[in-house]
Amino acid sequence: MEHDEEQGEAGRPVGRRSGALRIAGLTLAGALVLGTAVVGWAYWHLNHNIKSVDIDSALGSDRPARVETTPSASAPAAAPLPTGSLNILVLGSDSRSGKANKELGGGDSSGARSDTAMVVHLDAGRTKATVVSIPRDTLVTRPSCPLASGGSTAVAYGAMFNSAYAVGGPVCAVKTVESITHIRMDHYLEIDFSGFAKLVDALGGVDVTTSQDIDDDQSHLHLKAGAHHLDGKQALALARTRHGIGDGSDLGRIGLQQMLVKDLLEQMSSTRLLTDPARLYRVADAVTSGLTTDTGLDSLSELMRLGQSLKGLSADRVRTVMMPVVTAPSDHNRVIAEEPAARELWASLR
């Protein structure tokens, strides 16, 4: 016997309509579940990209005092964004860990060096910043540093600045910077060759303008003076080059690195990441894949919170300088801090 379909208003078959609604509802529910799973996996993946070092526990209390800050009175009571001044040690390392770093010319397989060192000082309110580069060839008194394997390194006089990272990793790099500056490093960020190149590529490259020809066989970079659009590998070569410019010293390379920092900030501010989720993910993946932080910044939520607190900081409000140095009397290929200028610079950032 045939069963007539139940008729609704205007004679429409109710059974067929309700079946279609059920299918649409199940499809939507499935899409939401899948979307939530994808977002959850992406967050997990980005979070697990980040490597961290517990610098606070390693160094203990024998450090410059931390600057105490209070939230803005106008900020909402629930989890207000931080607004206080902040000092971050940012290192670029030539680690040869991993295939990508090896292909990009990382250091010896037995270790890594910190050939780029910048102290980033964020003013209270976080709408202005000062980036101070420390030449790797600076001769310093390297303090005794605790080792992860136990024991500690010996104090070294007249040691090259970048040897701190080589002998004691991030912990010794932070302690050495604090001993030079007498400023507490609130956070530590390190990015390797591969992570930097991936970041530039994820942003679609970076526009730079060089004031002189660059001809460096060691970094494989050959550019005529003028405007250029660089991909990640070329931008990394620019950050590393020094033999094809000026007197071939690290001081000329610092000038290029500071120019590149400003150009990258401009590129990031002009790229509408929030309206392009796919590119935003690529940038986040690039940043976190080559990143090592202190334990205060070792999660995606903490990094996002730091980034959100900098929404009022534009590239034109970032000042880049180099720690004042002079040629070392003992070695014309090395430099030492120029006093009292260096001491006065660090005092201005406390």
Side-chain angles (χ1 to χ4, degrees), residues 83-106:
T83 59
S85 63
L86 204 65
N87 294 295
I88 305 172
L89 176 59
V90 179
L91 295 187
S93 75
D94 68 350
S95 168
R96 197 173 243 183
S97 173
K99 181 180 178 181
N101 281 323
K102 291 180 183 179
E103 292 175 348
L104 289 168

Side-chain angles (χ1 to χ4, degrees), residues 5-232:
E5 289 180 320
E6 183 183 352
Q7 300 293 309
E9 291 184 18
R12 295 190 186 93
V14 174
R16 185 180 302 167
R17 183 178 63 185
S18 62
L21 289 174
R22 281 197 298 271
I23 292 172
L26 289 172
T27 301
L28 178 59
L32 288 173
V33 169
L34 179 61
T36 301
V38 169
V39 170
W41 177 87
Y43 187 91
W44 179 89
H45 174 73
L46 295 175
N47 229 26
H48 281 71
N49 273 348
I50 304 168
K51 300 177 287 294
S52 66
V53 178
D54 192 351
I55 290 172
D56 285 345
S57 292
L59 294 183
S61 59
D62 186 20
R63 304 176 66 185
R66 190 188 299 276
V67 176
E68 297 297 332
T69 59
T70 55
S72 169
S74 60
L81 288 174
T83 59
S85 63
L86 204 65
N87 294 295
I88 305 172
L89 176 59
V90 179
L91 295 187
S93 75
D94 68 350
S95 168
R96 197 173 243 183
S97 173
K99 181 180 178 181
N101 281 323
K102 291 180 183 179
E103 292 175 348
L104 289 168
D108 297 335
S109 57
S110 59
R113 298 165 297 186
S114 57
D115 281 352
T116 302
M118 298 178 176
V119 173
V120 178
H121 172 79
L122 302 171
D123 288 1
R126 304 197 181 178
T127 59
K128 292 193 298 183
T130 301
V131 179
V132 184
S133 294
I134 303 176
R136 69 165 196 171
D137 295 337
T138 306
L139 298 181
V140 300
T141 297
R142 192 181 69 221
S144 174
C145 300
L147 297 172
S149 58
S152 59
T153 65
V155 175
Y157 300 96
M160 274 182 59
F161 168 74
N162 72 341
S163 69
Y165 184 94
V167 302
V171 170
C172 198
V174 169
K175 187 165 186 179
T176 300
V177 169
E178 291 184 344
S179 72
I180 295 170
T181 65
H182 302 290
I183 297 173
R184 172 79 168 237
M185 294 297 111
D186 300 294
H187 290 299
Y188 171 83
L189 290 172
E190 176 192 329
I191 189 164
D192 63 20
F193 279 3
S194 176
F196 179 81
K198 286 179 181 178
L199 170 60
V200 174
D201 284 336
L203 288 169
V206 60
D207 295 317
V208 303
T209 300
T210 57
S211 60
Q212 59 183 300
D213 294 349
I214 298 175
D215 206 9
D216 189 350
D217 289 332
Q218 293 201 28
S219 66
H220 308 292
L221 186 66
H222 304 279
L223 296 176
K224 293 294 184 182
H228 302 275
H229 184 78
L230 306 182
D231 63 17

